[in-house]
């Protein structure tokens, strides 16, 4: 039997796994699509689901055998969302200075937070909440100009048509032995993603769980093609077996910049992704802000996670962190959003970034200088030094600036106590030209004109 292209596409749409191929994207087109993400710098991750009772970790609790699947799923009975205020959530996110947010639409346990027609396990059908909790959140977030991202687990361990459930095994089946069963699961994934995509057209998808199967098995390329067929500007993270746009190192800022041009570090606010009754080990705002400027200095973003309770309230400790982030990012917006990766370590004791034109070097000081801040290896000359977020200019001196030496002199910037921010002080070194650096090991002078 022969089929023309139109028939092939129609047949694929019926199956839910084949779509017209996307046109090849040029590097310039991708850079344009990624521009908002590259400037965003801060996002807020939200882990919310039946695990938000605080009794267990999200999904891994039953997968790793710490609790039975039945006991884990019984937590649905306490997912009430009774105090859920999506407008308050959106306000806190916007006030934090975050330019995007990513909410868990479905974790590895298969519990969907929207009114999915593709399955029976959801906030609407199988919890006291009895309603779609994604819809009002998406509406409120977009009212505030914040980009909307959806976390979606490719894994759905409890489903009978998925291959695995427990880490220690045994597997339910092998795809090679039961391809029709696997196809049924793939169709289910496509159906749920189509619902999310056509209803909300999110700005970003944050996939997870791709390690359990290959790109061919997940139909990764087809997933991305399907999403972009109706949502062409959407950004996709790396966890889809090679078809994503940006890297996602987890729970630790990289020591060196990732190879990917675009990346983010996702980070918990305490030690847990979801709300936990027994986890009060919260990181301080100062610690988390240091992580933010570290990411900025390496040219990436920080995706900071919060974990609301099952009733929809957000713990006070998490609210306090978001508000302090808002104070700091609001004051230092110039040195947060429209920046690119800074200069290599060793030139100054602090984190750095550059303005987009390269003519301003931002220096982030997570400490209180006792006298002055040393900056070495700057071949470009400083025109002035400012304290970002204030109208204050600082004095500086340059020592050993010898005209016939290739090694530039060392700058010492006076930073008085009253100029310091309570968390991280930011200096703006406005240069006479785009920053140029000396990166050598020093020089022995063989003559002296004095």
């Amino acid at each position: 039997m022969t089929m023309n292209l139109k028939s092939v596409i129609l047949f694929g749409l019926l199956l839910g796994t084949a779509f017209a191929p996307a046109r090849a994207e040029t590097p310039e087109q991708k850079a344009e699509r990624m521009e908002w993400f590259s400037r965003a710098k801060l996002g807020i991750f939200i882990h919310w689901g039946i695990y938000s009772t605080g009794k267990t970790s999200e999904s891994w609790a039953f997968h790793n055998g710490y609790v039975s699947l039945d006991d884990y799923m019984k937590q649905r009975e306490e997912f009430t969302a009774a105090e859920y205020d999506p407008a308050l959530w959106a306000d806190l996110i916007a006030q934090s200075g975050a330019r995007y947010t990513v909410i868990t639409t479905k974790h590895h346990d298969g519990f969907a937070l929207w009114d999915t027609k593709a399955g029976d396990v959801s906030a609407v059908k199988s919890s006291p909440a009895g309603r779609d909790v994604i819809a009002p959140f998406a509406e409120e977030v977009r009212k505030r100009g914040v980009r909307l991202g959806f976390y979606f687990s490719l894994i759905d361990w409890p489903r009978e048509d998925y291959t695995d459930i427990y880490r220690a095994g045994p597997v339910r089946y092998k795809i090679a032995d039961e391809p029709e069963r696997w196809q049924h699961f793939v169709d289910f994934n496509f159906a749920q993603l189509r619902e999310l995509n056509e209803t909300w057209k999110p700005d970003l998808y944050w996939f997870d769980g791709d390690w359990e199967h290959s790109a061919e098995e997940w139909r990764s390329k087809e997933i991305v093609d399907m999403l972009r067929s109706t949502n062409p500007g959407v950004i996709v993270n790396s966890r889809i077996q090679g078809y994503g746009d940006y890297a996602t190192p987890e729970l630790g800022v990289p020591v060196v910049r990732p190879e990917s041009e675009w990346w983010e570090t996702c980070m918990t606010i305490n030690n847990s992704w979801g709300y936990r009754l027994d986890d009060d080990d919260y990181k301080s705002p100062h610690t988390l802000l240091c992580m933010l400027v570290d990411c900025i200095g390496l040219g990436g973003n920080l995706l900071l996670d919060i974990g609301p309770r099952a009733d929809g309230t957000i713990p006070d400790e998490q609210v306090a962190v978001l508000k302090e982030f808002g104070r700091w990012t609001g004051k230092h917006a110039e040195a947060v959003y429209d920046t690119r990766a800074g200069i290599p370590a060793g030139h100054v004791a602090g984190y750095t970034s550059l303005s987009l034109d390269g003519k301003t070097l931002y220096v982030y000081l997570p400490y209180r200088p006792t006298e002055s801040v040393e900056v070495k290896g700057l071949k470009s000359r400083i025109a002035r030094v400012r304290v970002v977020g204030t109208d204050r200019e600082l004095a500086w001196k340059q020592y050993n600036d010898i005209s016939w030496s290739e090694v530039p002199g060392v700058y010492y910037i006076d930073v008085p106590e009253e100029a310091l921010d309570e968390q991280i002080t930011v200096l703006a070194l406005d240069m006479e030209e785009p920053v140029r650096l000396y990166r050598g090991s020093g020089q022995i002078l063989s003559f002296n004109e004095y």
Side-chain angles (χ1 to χ4, degrees), residues 68 88 318:
S68 70
L88 174 63
Q318 299 181 25

Side-chain angles (χ1 to χ4, degrees), residues 343-352 361-378 382 385 394-400 407-415 427 429 437:
I343 60 178
H347 289 272
V348 59
Y351 307 101
T352 66
L361 172 64
Y362 295 106
V363 178
Y364 309 85
L365 304 176
Y367 58 89
R368 310 184 83 78
T370 55
E371 182 178 282
S372 59
V373 174
E374 177 191 71
V375 184
K376 60 183 179 180
L378 272 184
I382 294 176
V385 178
L394 300 180
W396 78 90
K397 294 179 181 179
Q398 187 182 29
Y399 293 109
N400 301 113
V407 183
V410 179
Y411 287 98
Y412 291 87
I413 303 168
D414 297 327
V415 186
L427 308 182
L429 282 58
L437 300 174

